[in-house]
Amino acid sequence: MTGAGAEWFGDGLDVTGADLGLWVSGVDYIGGWREAREAADRLNLAFLGAEFEPFELRAVASTDEDGLGVVRLLVSLGAVDRLAGLLEARVQGDGGAA
C-alpha cells in the first residue's frame, strides 16, 4: 500500500466480484437495499407489537449478489422459542392464512 491517498485501499488489489462477497461494478445495490429497508422496518414494527425487544429479534436490510433486496433476521437464542411458538399457534389457529 502506498501513502494516504484516496486510492490506497485498492493499490494492486482486485477486491470486487461476487466470489469475494463484495460489490460488483454496475449492480444497483442501493435500490434493492431501499426496498429491503422498507420491508425490514415493517417487520420490526410487527416484532415490537409482539413485544420482542430489538436485541432479541430484528430484521436487517441487505442485498444479494444481484442487488435484489433481502431481509435477514437476527434472533437471539432466547427469542427463538417464543417466535416459533407464535408461528406454530398462527398455523394451528387458522391454517397459516396471511
Side-chain angles (χ1 to χ4, degrees):
M1 291 185 222
T2 61
E7 296 82 28
W8 71 267
F9 181 75
D11 282 355
L13 299 174
D14 180 9
V15 294
T16 60
D19 292 342
L20 296 173
L22 300 176
W23 291 357
V24 176
S25 179
V27 176
D28 177 18
Y29 294 99
I30 301 299
W33 179 84
R34 284 184 183 136
E35 290 180 15
R37 178 60 192 254
E38 290 177 15
D41 287 347
R42 181 175 176 212
L43 198 50
N44 283 326
L45 286 173
F47 292 153
L48 287 172
E51 299 182 2
F52 284 98
E53 295 295 328
F55 67 88
E56 295 177 302
L57 175 61
R58 72 177 181 268
V60 178
S62 187
T63 60
D64 66 9
E65 62 273 2
D66 296 320
L68 299 175
V70 174
V71 175
R72 301 180 194 284
L73 297 181
L74 299 175
V75 187
S76 71
L77 292 178
V80 169
D81 286 334
R82 274 184 56 210
L83 179 59
L86 286 172
L87 293 172
E88 289 165 354
R90 172 79 172 152
V91 170
Q92 292 170 1
D94 64 3

